[in-house]
mmCIF file of all heavy atoms in Angstrom:
data_model
loop_
_atom_site.group_PDB
_atom_site.id
_atom_site.type_symbol
_atom_site.label_atom_id
_atom_site.label_comp_id
_atom_site.label_asym_id
_atom_site.label_seq_id
_atom_site.Cartn_x
_atom_site.Cartn_y
_atom_site.Cartn_z
ATOM 1 N N ARG J 11 6.986 -9.275 -18.833
ATOM 2 C CA ARG J 11 8.405 -9.113 -18.498
ATOM 3 C C ARG J 11 9.137 -8.221 -19.487
ATOM 4 O O ARG J 11 10.108 -7.569 -19.143
ATOM 5 C CB ARG J 11 9.087 -10.493 -18.461
ATOM 6 C CG ARG J 11 8.563 -11.410 -17.375
ATOM 7 C CD ARG J 11 8.815 -10.839 -15.986
ATOM 8 N NE ARG J 11 8.384 -11.750 -14.934
ATOM 9 C CZ ARG J 11 8.442 -11.472 -13.638
ATOM 10 N NH1 ARG J 11 8.921 -10.311 -13.259
ATOM 11 N NH2 ARG J 11 8.012 -12.342 -12.761
ATOM 12 N N ASN J 12 8.662 -8.206 -20.714
ATOM 13 C CA ASN J 12 9.382 -7.441 -21.734
ATOM 14 C C ASN J 12 8.390 -6.981 -22.796
ATOM 15 O O ASN J 12 7.786 -7.812 -23.468
ATOM 16 C CB ASN J 12 10.471 -8.299 -22.376
ATOM 17 C CG ASN J 12 11.270 -7.522 -23.400
ATOM 18 O OD1 ASN J 12 11.388 -6.312 -23.317
ATOM 19 N ND2 ASN J 12 11.813 -8.232 -24.381
ATOM 20 N N ALA J 13 8.207 -5.686 -22.917
ATOM 21 C CA ALA J 13 7.296 -5.129 -23.924
ATOM 22 C C ALA J 13 8.077 -4.147 -24.785
ATOM 23 O O ALA J 13 8.270 -2.995 -24.409
ATOM 24 C CB ALA J 13 6.117 -4.447 -23.264
ATOM 25 N N THR J 14 8.583 -4.606 -25.898
ATOM 26 C CA THR J 14 9.339 -3.745 -26.805
ATOM 27 C C THR J 14 8.761 -3.878 -28.202
ATOM 28 O O THR J 14 8.242 -4.923 -28.593
ATOM 29 C CB THR J 14 10.824 -4.123 -26.833
ATOM 30 O OG1 THR J 14 10.950 -5.492 -27.261
ATOM 31 C CG2 THR J 14 11.454 -3.960 -25.458
ATOM 32 N N TYR J 15 8.850 -2.811 -28.967
ATOM 33 C CA TYR J 15 8.340 -2.778 -30.333
ATOM 34 C C TYR J 15 9.407 -2.193 -31.237
ATOM 35 O O TYR J 15 10.027 -1.178 -30.907
ATOM 36 C CB TYR J 15 7.074 -1.927 -30.423
ATOM 37 C CG TYR J 15 5.956 -2.406 -29.527
ATOM 38 C CD1 TYR J 15 5.821 -1.926 -28.232
ATOM 39 C CD2 TYR J 15 5.025 -3.332 -29.982
ATOM 40 C CE1 TYR J 15 4.798 -2.360 -27.412
ATOM 41 C CE2 TYR J 15 3.997 -3.772 -29.177
ATOM 42 C CZ TYR J 15 3.880 -3.293 -27.881
ATOM 43 O OH TYR J 15 2.877 -3.729 -27.071
ATOM 44 N N VAL J 16 9.606 -2.824 -32.361
ATOM 45 C CA VAL J 16 10.552 -2.322 -33.350
ATOM 46 C C VAL J 16 9.850 -1.262 -34.189
ATOM 47 O O VAL J 16 8.739 -1.479 -34.676
ATOM 48 C CB VAL J 16 11.059 -3.463 -34.254
ATOM 49 C CG1 VAL J 16 11.985 -2.914 -35.338
ATOM 50 C CG2 VAL J 16 11.768 -4.526 -33.416
ATOM 51 N N GLN J 17 10.489 -0.093 -34.315
ATOM 52 C CA GLN J 17 9.901 0.990 -35.091
ATOM 53 C C GLN J 17 9.831 0.612 -36.567
ATOM 54 O O GLN J 17 10.826 0.211 -37.162
ATOM 55 C CB GLN J 17 10.726 2.273 -34.930
ATOM 56 C CG GLN J 17 10.226 3.460 -35.710
ATOM 57 C CD GLN J 17 8.975 4.085 -35.109
ATOM 58 O OE1 GLN J 17 8.658 3.855 -33.960
ATOM 59 N NE2 GLN J 17 8.258 4.869 -35.891
ATOM 60 N N SER J 18 8.640 0.741 -37.138
ATOM 61 C CA SER J 18 8.450 0.440 -38.553
ATOM 62 C C SER J 18 9.032 1.559 -39.417
ATOM 63 O O SER J 18 9.262 2.672 -38.931
ATOM 64 C CB SER J 18 6.955 0.282 -38.858
ATOM 65 O OG SER J 18 6.395 -0.760 -38.087
ATOM 66 N N PRO J 19 9.243 1.290 -40.707
ATOM 67 C CA PRO J 19 9.786 2.324 -41.605
ATOM 68 C C PRO J 19 8.858 3.539 -41.683
ATOM 69 O O PRO J 19 7.634 3.415 -41.539
ATOM 70 C CB PRO J 19 9.872 1.617 -42.957
ATOM 71 C CG PRO J 19 9.828 0.164 -42.653
ATOM 72 C CD PRO J 19 9.045 0.008 -41.397
ATOM 73 N N ASP J 20 9.438 4.697 -41.934
ATOM 74 C CA ASP J 20 8.664 5.940 -41.976
ATOM 75 C C ASP J 20 7.522 5.879 -42.984
ATOM 76 O O ASP J 20 6.433 6.411 -42.752
ATOM 77 C CB ASP J 20 9.572 7.132 -42.303
ATOM 78 C CG ASP J 20 10.434 7.532 -41.123
ATOM 79 O OD1 ASP J 20 10.181 7.040 -40.002
ATOM 80 O OD2 ASP J 20 11.354 8.345 -41.313
ATOM 81 N N ASN J 21 7.763 5.234 -44.129
ATOM 82 C CA ASN J 21 6.728 5.212 -45.164
ATOM 83 C C ASN J 21 5.507 4.406 -44.733
ATOM 84 O O ASN J 21 4.419 4.550 -45.302
ATOM 85 C CB ASN J 21 7.281 4.680 -46.480
ATOM 86 C CG ASN J 21 7.679 3.214 -46.394
ATOM 87 O OD1 ASN J 21 8.071 2.728 -45.341
ATOM 88 N ND2 ASN J 21 7.599 2.517 -47.510
ATOM 89 N N LEU J 22 5.651 3.560 -43.709
ATOM 90 C CA LEU J 22 4.516 2.865 -43.123
ATOM 91 C C LEU J 22 3.944 3.633 -41.937
ATOM 92 O O LEU J 22 2.727 3.789 -41.811
ATOM 93 C CB LEU J 22 4.925 1.455 -42.674
ATOM 94 C CG LEU J 22 5.292 0.463 -43.767
ATOM 95 C CD1 LEU J 22 5.679 -0.877 -43.147
ATOM 96 C CD2 LEU J 22 4.123 0.271 -44.735
ATOM 97 N N VAL J 23 4.829 4.113 -41.066
ATOM 98 C CA VAL J 23 4.387 4.796 -39.844
ATOM 99 C C VAL J 23 3.512 6.000 -40.153
ATOM 100 O O VAL J 23 2.446 6.189 -39.556
ATOM 101 C CB VAL J 23 5.604 5.229 -39.005
ATOM 102 C CG1 VAL J 23 5.177 6.138 -37.851
ATOM 103 C CG2 VAL J 23 6.332 4.008 -38.455
ATOM 104 N N TRP J 24 3.930 6.804 -41.131
ATOM 105 C CA TRP J 24 3.242 8.078 -41.362
ATOM 106 C C TRP J 24 1.923 7.927 -42.119
ATOM 107 O O TRP J 24 1.227 8.899 -42.338
ATOM 108 C CB TRP J 24 4.186 9.055 -42.064
ATOM 109 C CG TRP J 24 5.214 9.552 -41.096
ATOM 110 C CD1 TRP J 24 6.421 8.995 -40.817
ATOM 111 C CD2 TRP J 24 5.099 10.680 -40.236
ATOM 112 N NE1 TRP J 24 7.077 9.712 -39.835
ATOM 113 C CE2 TRP J 24 6.287 10.763 -39.467
ATOM 114 C CE3 TRP J 24 4.111 11.660 -40.036
ATOM 115 C CZ2 TRP J 24 6.511 11.752 -38.519
ATOM 116 C CZ3 TRP J 24 4.346 12.654 -39.096
ATOM 117 C CH2 TRP J 24 5.515 12.687 -38.354
ATOM 118 N N ARG J 25 1.558 6.702 -42.481
ATOM 119 C CA ARG J 25 0.209 6.464 -42.985
ATOM 120 C C ARG J 25 -0.806 6.473 -41.843
ATOM 121 O O ARG J 25 -1.997 6.678 -42.064
ATOM 122 C CB ARG J 25 0.139 5.114 -43.686
ATOM 123 C CG ARG J 25 1.015 4.984 -44.918
ATOM 124 C CD ARG J 25 0.874 3.590 -45.502
ATOM 125 N NE ARG J 25 1.858 3.342 -46.557
ATOM 126 C CZ ARG J 25 2.001 2.188 -47.187
ATOM 127 N NH1 ARG J 25 1.195 1.176 -46.863
ATOM 128 N NH2 ARG J 25 2.909 2.034 -48.128
ATOM 129 N N TYR J 26 -0.310 6.212 -40.626
ATOM 130 C CA TYR J 26 -1.200 6.012 -39.489
ATOM 131 C C TYR J 26 -0.926 6.961 -38.326
ATOM 132 O O TYR J 26 -1.704 6.997 -37.372
ATOM 133 C CB TYR J 26 -1.058 4.571 -38.980
ATOM 134 C CG TYR J 26 -1.155 3.546 -40.076
ATOM 135 C CD1 TYR J 26 -0.016 2.910 -40.569
ATOM 136 C CD2 TYR J 26 -2.386 3.226 -40.648
ATOM 137 C CE1 TYR J 26 -0.104 1.974 -41.589
ATOM 138 C CE2 TYR J 26 -2.480 2.293 -41.675
ATOM 139 C CZ TYR J 26 -1.333 1.666 -42.134
ATOM 140 O OH TYR J 26 -1.434 0.750 -43.149
ATOM 141 N N PHE J 27 0.177 7.698 -38.396
ATOM 142 C CA PHE J 27 0.591 8.536 -37.270
ATOM 143 C C PHE J 27 0.955 9.925 -37.770
ATOM 144 O O PHE J 27 1.599 10.073 -38.811
ATOM 145 C CB PHE J 27 1.796 7.909 -36.567
ATOM 146 C CG PHE J 27 2.477 8.842 -35.598
ATOM 147 C CD1 PHE J 27 1.903 9.124 -34.369
ATOM 148 C CD2 PHE J 27 3.685 9.447 -35.925
ATOM 149 C CE1 PHE J 27 2.528 9.999 -33.482
ATOM 150 C CE2 PHE J 27 4.317 10.306 -35.050
ATOM 151 C CZ PHE J 27 3.723 10.583 -33.821
ATOM 152 N N TYR J 28 0.531 10.940 -37.013
ATOM 153 C CA TYR J 28 0.827 12.322 -37.400
ATOM 154 C C TYR J 28 1.092 13.140 -36.146
ATOM 155 O O TYR J 28 0.322 13.085 -35.181
ATOM 156 C CB TYR J 28 -0.355 12.906 -38.173
ATOM 157 C CG TYR J 28 -0.107 14.296 -38.723
ATOM 158 C CD1 TYR J 28 0.671 14.481 -39.858
ATOM 159 C CD2 TYR J 28 -0.661 15.411 -38.110
ATOM 160 C CE1 TYR J 28 0.900 15.755 -40.364
ATOM 161 C CE2 TYR J 28 -0.440 16.681 -38.612
ATOM 162 C CZ TYR J 28 0.343 16.845 -39.740
ATOM 163 O OH TYR J 28 0.569 18.106 -40.236
ATOM 164 N N ASN J 29 2.163 13.902 -36.151
ATOM 165 C CA ASN J 29 2.539 14.736 -35.009
ATOM 166 C C ASN J 29 1.787 16.063 -35.084
ATOM 167 O O ASN J 29 2.315 17.068 -35.545
ATOM 168 C CB ASN J 29 4.050 14.970 -34.999
ATOM 169 C CG ASN J 29 4.498 15.818 -33.814
ATOM 170 O OD1 ASN J 29 3.730 16.059 -32.885
ATOM 171 N ND2 ASN J 29 5.734 16.259 -33.852
ATOM 172 N N LEU J 30 0.531 16.048 -34.647
ATOM 173 C CA LEU J 30 -0.310 17.241 -34.763
ATOM 174 C C LEU J 30 0.230 18.393 -33.926
ATOM 175 O O LEU J 30 0.254 19.543 -34.371
ATOM 176 C CB LEU J 30 -1.741 16.900 -34.344
ATOM 177 C CG LEU J 30 -2.770 18.032 -34.410
ATOM 178 C CD1 LEU J 30 -2.864 18.606 -35.816
ATOM 179 C CD2 LEU J 30 -4.138 17.534 -33.947
ATOM 180 N N LYS J 31 0.682 18.093 -32.705
ATOM 181 C CA LYS J 31 1.181 19.151 -31.819
ATOM 182 C C LYS J 31 2.395 19.856 -32.420
ATOM 183 O O LYS J 31 2.583 21.061 -32.224
ATOM 184 C CB LYS J 31 1.532 18.563 -30.452
ATOM 185 C CG LYS J 31 1.903 19.599 -29.420
ATOM 186 C CD LYS J 31 2.152 18.965 -28.053
ATOM 187 C CE LYS J 31 2.510 20.024 -27.021
ATOM 188 N NZ LYS J 31 2.759 19.415 -25.682
ATOM 189 N N GLY J 32 3.205 19.111 -33.173
ATOM 190 C CA GLY J 32 4.402 19.704 -33.760
ATOM 191 C C GLY J 32 4.207 20.218 -35.172
ATOM 192 O O GLY J 32 5.167 20.626 -35.815
ATOM 193 N N SER J 33 2.958 20.209 -35.656
ATOM 194 C CA SER J 33 2.700 20.622 -37.038
ATOM 195 C C SER J 33 2.580 22.140 -37.156
ATOM 196 O O SER J 33 2.542 22.855 -36.154
ATOM 197 C CB SER J 33 1.425 19.959 -37.554
ATOM 198 O OG SER J 33 0.290 20.418 -36.834
ATOM 199 N N ALA J 34 2.472 22.611 -38.391
ATOM 200 C CA ALA J 34 2.388 24.054 -38.653
ATOM 201 C C ALA J 34 1.125 24.650 -38.047
ATOM 202 O O ALA J 34 0.077 24.000 -37.974
ATOM 203 C CB ALA J 34 2.403 24.297 -40.159
#
């Protein structure tokens, strides 16, 4: 019925996630 996730702080997120398509 409800699937929501609170975005974690950047210093945690960017250990595991990288925007490759938007990178240099």
Side-chain angles (χ1 to χ4, degrees):
R11 296 297 183 183
N12 182 27
T14 59
Y15 302 91
V16 177
Q17 179 74 18
S18 300
D20 285 349
N21 66 330
L22 293 180
V23 171
W24 286 89
R25 297 179 189 176
Y26 311 103
F27 167 75
Y28 185 77
N29 181 12
L30 180 58
K31 187 176 181 180
S33 65

